[in-house]
Amino acid sequence: MEIKVTKCHGSGNDFLIIDEISNPYRFSEINRAELAKAFCDRSSLLGADGILFVLPSESENCHAKMRVFNADGSEASMCGNGIRCVARYVCELLDVKEAVIETMKAHLEVKREEDIFPEIPTYLVEISPVSFDVADLPLHIEQPTLKNEKLEALNEELYFTALAVPNPHLISIVNKQQIDSPLQEKLSKYVNGPNELFTDGVNVSFVSILDEASIYVRTFERGVGFTNACGTAMSASSLVTILNDFNQVGEYIDVYNNGGKVRTFVHEKNGKYRIDLIGNATYVYDAKIEVELDNTEDFSIIEKKVNEAETVKYEKLQQSAQKYIQEKLV
Ligand SMILES: N[C@@H](CCC[C@H](N)C(=O)O)C(=O)O
């Protein structure tokens, strides 16, 4: 069969969008997982951090539904960089400026935003609900929350915060030496392998304070490994820096990452948080793929249209972000 894909990235966290609204694909659950494993494989002709399936929503309030499959074929409840890509795709498909997207656990508002970087299509997406209840990750410990505390079963030196937004995150504010060490990879592989703390795995982020309202986040993603950026992790990390008095509710935070930069804004109402994640949704190419669903590994690209203009413009932003990180991460 022939499948159309659009490669899109948010902060260099790249995805293949497959539109099940406009195309009558009728995939089974196994098909989606197998397509994710085959198409996301970096040694294949495509390669990506995940697949974003865009489906019709059964809810009257929603314009579309997003399902996120990680590169290993597991399904994630949410994806912050991915939902910006879906926001652009759905807004352009339906010719609207804002929309509501159904995700596994929430209906989320998305909208076209003023470009925060010149000529880079920018979208604002809602990241919520936010929960510190360890059962929501799940994290199996004998206390209800883990907020800037040691988790000695994992590491004796670092302070961690665990939260679900609603996908699970484990976050630690660290220094440059800890960023440069192999610590994050070691911890992340442990909590994403068979273990008794995080039985469903967890996205692990190391965060450094760069300046006033400016932070750096690097994430080892569950189901993928290190990625250029993780949108839900950057949103969750922004909140963690607020809880640690480095930043404030109601103010923009610039979040630098290895794939560029986004901006976050944390809202708080009656003790509940909602985070706005604002950043690029950049189209890389459109392609047509020939694949048999019972043998997904053996696919071929029958047509590919590259969007060079967008890619080149984004690369300039990425270079200036990397320069800033090098200057400030000391
Ligand atoms: N990259 C995403 C998160 C994708 C899902 C994550 N790997 C998980 O399993 O929770 C983002 O931008 O948020």
Side-chain angles (χ1 to χ4, degrees):
M1 71 178 291
E2 189 181 294
I3 300 180
K4 289 185 195 156
V5 300
T6 298
K7 169 67 94 73
C8 182
H9 77 81
S11 276
N13 191 196
D14 61 347
F15 304 96
L16 296 162
I17 297 175
I18 298 186
D19 174 354
E20 293 191 59
I21 295 180
S22 318
N23 303 290
Y25 294 136
R26 300 191 197 292
F27 299 128
S28 69
E29 292 306 297
I30 294 175
N31 293 155
R32 292 196 183 89
E34 291 300 320
L35 286 169
K37 286 194 266 183
F39 287 4
C40 296
D41 182 351
R42 292 279 174 199
S43 65
S44 79
L45 297 167
L46 292 167
D49 293 326
I51 296 192
L52 305 167
F53 292 94
V54 181
L55 299 115
S57 171
E58 277 159 28
S59 162
E60 271 184 18
N61 310 326
C62 296
H63 294 77
K65 177 174 174 175
M66 170 181 85
R67 292 188 63 188
V68 185
F69 281 73
N70 289 317
D72 71 352
S74 60
E75 184 171 9
S77 53
M78 185 34 191
C79 179
N81 292 325
I83 200 171
R84 295 206 309 279
C85 296
V86 169
R88 175 171 178 187
Y89 191 87
V90 170
C91 286
E92 289 181 0
L93 183 72
L94 304 181
D95 195 19
V96 291
K97 286 207 170 65
E98 47 187 82
V100 180
I101 307 293
E102 178 184 346
T103 62
M104 189 192 286
K105 294 189 178 163
H107 295 175
L108 299 172
E109 292 171 359
V110 302
K111 64 175 182 180
R112 179 82 161 91
E113 185 76 343
E114 289 277 303
D115 296 349
I116 53 174
F117 316 111
E119 294 179 79
I120 307 277
T122 302
Y123 282 79
L124 179 152
V125 297
E126 169 186 359
I127 306 291
S128 77
V130 176
S131 167
F132 289 94
D133 183 342
V134 291
D136 288 334
L137 282 94
L139 163 58
H140 303 282
I141 51 174
E142 297 298 319
Q143 56 186 75
T145 60
L146 182 81
K147 286 186 181 175
N148 201 32
E149 288 170 71
K150 287 195 174 174
L151 186 54
E152 286 188 358
L154 184 60
N155 177 277
E156 289 180 354
E157 162 193 1
L158 299 177
Y159 290 82
F160 294 102
T161 300
L163 68 167
V165 296
N167 61 340
H169 291 273
L170 180 68
I171 292 171
S172 185
I173 300 179
V174 299
N175 58 37
K176 183 174 184 319
Q177 201 190 343
Q178 288 159 331
I179 290 268
D180 289 341
S181 78
L183 192 55
Q184 187 180 9
E185 184 167 9
K186 195 173 151 225
L187 298 178
S188 306
K189 285 189 171 161
Y190 177 76
V191 291
N192 284 290
N195 77 99
E196 287 178 3
L197 287 171
F198 295 92
T199 44
D200 292 352
V202 65
N203 299 289
V204 182
S205 294
F206 271 19
V207 181
S208 281
I209 309 300
L210 297 179
D211 210 336
E212 212 183 312
S214 166
I215 63 175
Y216 167 73
V217 180
R218 184 180 65 193
T219 306
F220 185 104
E221 280 193 40
R222 172 177 72 164
V224 193
F226 280 114
T227 55
N228 281 322
C230 173
T232 43
M234 294 188 287
S235 307
S237 300
S238 299
L239 176 54
V240 170
T241 64
I242 288 173
L243 300 179
N244 283 280
D245 293 330
F246 289 108
N247 289 310
Q248 288 178 42
V249 166
E251 281 185 2
Y252 286 104
I253 302 173
D254 283 334
V255 186
Y256 288 81
N257 54 69
N258 288 343
K261 173 186 163 184
V262 296
R263 196 162 281 168
T264 56
F265 189 96
V266 177
H267 304 259
E268 191 258 339
K269 201 173 172 189
N270 304 326
K272 283 202 166 20
Y273 295 103
R274 168 200 154 133
I275 306 158
D276 293 341
L277 171 66
I278 307 157
N280 73 302
T282 300
Y283 285 164
V284 184
Y285 60 74
D286 288 303
K288 285 185 187 161
I289 314 298
E290 184 58 41
V291 63
E292 293 311 321
L293 290 176
D294 55 4
N295 180 23
T296 46
E297 279 169 26
D298 200 11
F299 65 85
S300 55
I301 299 179
I302 47 182
E303 194 183 299
K304 189 171 182 180
K305 280 195 212 134
V306 177
N307 193 333
E308 212 176 311
E310 285 202 19
T311 303
V312 168
K313 276 183 200 146
Y314 188 82
E315 274 169 9
K316 286 194 186 137
L317 156 73
Q318 191 186 3
Q319 282 157 14
S320 72
Q322 295 321 299
K323 205 166 153 248
Y324 180 84
I325 296 167
Q326 273 166 16
E327 278 166 25
K328 295 284 182 179
L329 188 60
V330 284

